[in-house]
């Protein structure tokens, strides 16, 4: 009688999930990878879609295309609602799927720290839809300000607030300021786009806390030189449709972007196991769930401490890739060689920190590479090279590199497209006709914000 081939189910086609499946190429098993999208997304560059520098197709790649030559893989489009560890099943679109081995790599979502009603106004940045919504709001703000005569309303439209001073917040703040100062000044007639305010709030005493204090300070100074207002030790107390509050201080802003925190995907709460405060699953050193050696957790969903350093493994793309490869090797060896299910006899996961990078703007970045701390142009080049290498497809590498070169030389973000339904909101609209429309002269453009119709 032929030996039964085990079924491996992988939830999530992010960095961790993809690398698990790749390790199982030569394993004697059937692999099913589930994701609610049909593409793998390179999240570190998502902010560049939001800031009109890249198109969504530049940083996303079809999952089926990734695994088209891996015969033991099936790709299933669907969101996993729940997991039953006792029955060894997952529920997708109301249907149950059995598994012999399970890898949960469903990722994370935005955390509003109990204020989920803020999500409608302060949008986060986790998906392509988020990025396109953010891009639309940003571009519409300039379009509306161009034809807004009410000064208070116009200033609100040209005020961009980013909440959260981690890598995403810092990168987004720098990109928005560059758009206003370098990319769009020649394209509008009635406003000086460089007058737009970009304000970055963070509740900590420094930005990008995963970096050494010296680099955090450098990032802050670089942003301020670009014209970004950086406000530390500032916690948001309220968000509504017209702005936000920092304690008793009120700031009117039409655009509020959230980069302040993340929480684990909701499927973790269906497991019935111990979670940390962010909803991440507390796993054993081999990344399996206690009491369930056939179930592993990877990426942002895993709460794991590196036994070598006794430090938490960070929620970064390199860590997720390493977790995926680690789990994939364990499964491959166990399936092919019949090794033990006992987690105590499996190798523990060790995170290899190869360095951390964050870009701030053109020619500006910070880097901490194994104790070598530096910033500026070389760090910016290194950031670009590393991110290009991590893109999945050769096409993406070429297109992104060419787009970056073009944008660098000509300060031209060509993906300034407003898509979807447009809701134009102007309190006091400018009456512009061909007979009375006159561009603002270049010699006075910097001194006026709006001319009278």
């Amino acid at each position: 009688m032929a030996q039964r081939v085990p079924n491996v189910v992988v939830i999530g086609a992010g960095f961790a999930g993809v690398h698990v499946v790749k390790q199982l190429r030569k394993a004697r098993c059937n692999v099913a990878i589930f994701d609610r999208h049909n593409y793998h997304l390179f999240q570190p560059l998502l902010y560049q879609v939001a800031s009109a520098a890249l198109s969504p197709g530049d940083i996303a790649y079809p999952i089926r295309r990734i695994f088209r030559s891996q015969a033991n893989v099936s790709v299933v489009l669907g969101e996993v609602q729940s997991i039953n560890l006792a029955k060894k099943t997952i529920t997708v679109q109301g249907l149950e799927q059995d598994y012999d081995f399970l890898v949960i790599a469903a990722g994370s979502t935005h955390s509003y720290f109990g204020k989920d009603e803020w999500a409608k106004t302060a949008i986060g940045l986790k998906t392509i839809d988020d990025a396109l919504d953010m891009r639309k709001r940003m571009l519409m703000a300039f379009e509306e300000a161009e034809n807004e005569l009410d000064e208070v309303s116009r200033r609100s439209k040209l005020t961009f607030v980013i909440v959260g001073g981690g890598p995403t917040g810092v990168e987004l703040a720098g990109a928005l300021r560059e758009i206003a100062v370098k990319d769009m000044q020649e394209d509008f007639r009635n406003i000086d786009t460089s007058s737009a305010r970009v304000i970055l709030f963070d509740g900590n005493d420094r930005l990008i806390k995963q970096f050494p204090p010296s680099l955090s300070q450098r990032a802050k100074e670089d942003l301020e030189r670009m014209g970004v207002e950086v406000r530390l030790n500032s916690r948001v107390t309220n968000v509504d449709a017209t702005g936000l509050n920092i304690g008793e201080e009120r700031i009117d802003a039409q655009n509020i972007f959230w980069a302040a925190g993340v929480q684990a995907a909701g499927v973790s709460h269906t497991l019935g196991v111990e979670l940390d405060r962010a909803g991440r699953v507390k796993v054993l050193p081999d990344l399996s769930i206690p009491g369930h050696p056939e179930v592993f957790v990877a990426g942002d969903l895993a709460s794991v401490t590196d036994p070598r350093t006794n430090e938490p493994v960070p929620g970064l793309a390199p860590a997720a890739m390493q977790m995926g490869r680690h789990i994939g090797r364990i499964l491959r060896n166990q399936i092919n060689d019949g090794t033990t299910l006992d987690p105590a006899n499996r190798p523990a996961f060790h995170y290899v920190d190869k360095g951390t990078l964050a870009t701030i703007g053109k020619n500006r970045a910070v880097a901490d590479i194994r104790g070598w701390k530096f910033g500026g142009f070389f760090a910016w080049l290194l950031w670009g090279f590393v991110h290009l290498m991590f893109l999945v497809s050769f096409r993406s590498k070429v297109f992104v590199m060419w787009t970056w070169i073009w944008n660098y030389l000509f300060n031209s973000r060509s993906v300034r497209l407003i898509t979807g339904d447009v809701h134009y909101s102007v309190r006091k609209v400018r009456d512009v006709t061909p007979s009375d429309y006159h561009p603002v002269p270049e010699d006075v453009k910097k001194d006026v914000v709006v001319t009278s119709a």
Side-chain angles (χ1 to χ4, degrees), residues 291-313:
H292 296 275
E294 76 285 356
V295 182
F296 298 83
V297 185
D300 290 345
L301 205 63
S303 176
V304 56
T305 299
D306 192 317
R308 287 178 179 172
T309 63
N310 205 32
E311 294 288 334
V313 176

Side-chain angles (χ1 to χ4, degrees), residues 185-189 439-447:
Q185 275 195 296
E186 303 302 320
D187 297 351
F188 289 84
R189 300 292 185 263
V440 179
E442 290 299 321
D443 59 341
V444 299
K445 188 173 182 180
K446 303 301 180 185
D447 299 322

Side-chain angles (χ1 to χ4, degrees), residues 78-283:
E79 184 170 7
V80 176
Q81 283 93 34
S82 63
I83 300 169
N84 189 318
L85 296 178
K87 294 174 60 178
K88 292 188 177 182
T89 62
I90 65 171
T91 302
V92 186
Q93 316 289 52
L95 302 175
E96 286 192 345
Q97 164 76 44
D98 296 330
Y99 66 82
D100 296 298
F101 298 96
L102 176 65
V103 181
I104 311 169
S108 60
T109 185
H110 321 297
S111 173
Y112 292 89
F113 309 108
K115 300 289 186 178
D116 291 344
E117 65 273 16
W118 294 354
K120 185 176 180 180
T121 301
I123 59 173
L125 190 59
K126 280 292 181 181
T127 68
I128 286 179
D129 290 336
D130 292 336
L132 293 178
D133 189 10
M134 193 174 289
R135 184 182 74 182
K136 178 180 177 180
R137 293 193 189 194
M138 179 267 295
L139 294 175
M140 280 300 300
F142 286 103
E143 295 292 339
E144 292 174 358
E146 172 79 350
N147 293 304
E148 176 65 83
L149 282 176
D150 184 271
E151 182 178 353
V152 173
S153 177
R154 187 179 64 251
R155 291 187 183 279
S156 174
K157 295 178 189 304
L158 293 180
T159 299
F160 301 87
V161 172
I162 299 99
V163 181
T168 298
V170 166
E171 290 168 351
L172 187 58
L176 290 176
R177 186 61 186 158
E178 284 188 336
I179 289 172
V181 174
K182 296 180 179 179
D183 294 344
M184 297 203 298
Q185 275 195 296
E186 303 302 320
D187 297 351
F188 289 84
R189 300 292 185 263
N190 300 313
I191 57 172
D192 176 9
T193 59
S194 67
S195 67
R197 293 180 70 191
V198 178
I199 312 171
L200 176 61
F201 289 103
D202 192 82
N204 296 301
D205 58 357
R206 61 187 179 92
L207 301 176
I208 45 176
K209 291 200 72 173
Q210 55 268 67
F211 283 80
S214 61
L215 293 181
S216 297
Q217 181 62 24
R218 176 159 187 164
K220 177 177 180 292
E221 292 171 356
D222 280 347
L223 286 172
E224 289 173 337
R225 278 192 288 268
M226 295 171 66
V228 176
E229 301 174 39
V230 179
R231 302 273 298 274
L232 301 176
N233 299 307
S234 301
R235 297 189 180 276
V236 176
T237 54
N238 185 57
V239 174
D240 56 46
T242 61
L244 76 166
N245 288 80
I246 307 295
E248 298 299 319
E249 180 185 4
R250 175 68 181 180
I251 296 177
D252 294 328
Q254 179 172 296
N255 295 277
I256 304 172
F257 302 139
W258 193 265
V262 296
Q263 60 185 353
V267 71
S268 65
H269 294 276
T270 70
L271 292 168
V273 300
E274 186 178 5
L275 308 176
D276 67 8
R277 291 189 301 175
R280 296 175 300 183
V281 181
K282 294 187 175 182
V283 296

Side-chain angles (χ1 to χ4, degrees), residues 291-350:
H292 296 275
E294 76 285 356
V295 182
F296 298 83
V297 185
D300 290 345
L301 205 63
S303 176
V304 56
T305 299
D306 192 317
R308 287 178 179 172
T309 63
N310 205 32
E311 294 288 334
V313 176
L316 301 174
M321 294 178 193
Q322 292 177 35
M323 288 186 198
R325 288 192 290 266
H326 178 82
I327 293 171
R329 286 191 293 266
I330 288 176
L331 288 175
R332 185 186 63 216
N333 293 338
Q334 184 163 315
I335 292 168
N336 289 349
D337 304 333
T339 53
T340 178
L341 275 172
D342 185 359
N345 295 327
R346 292 171 174 164
F349 172 73
H350 299 294

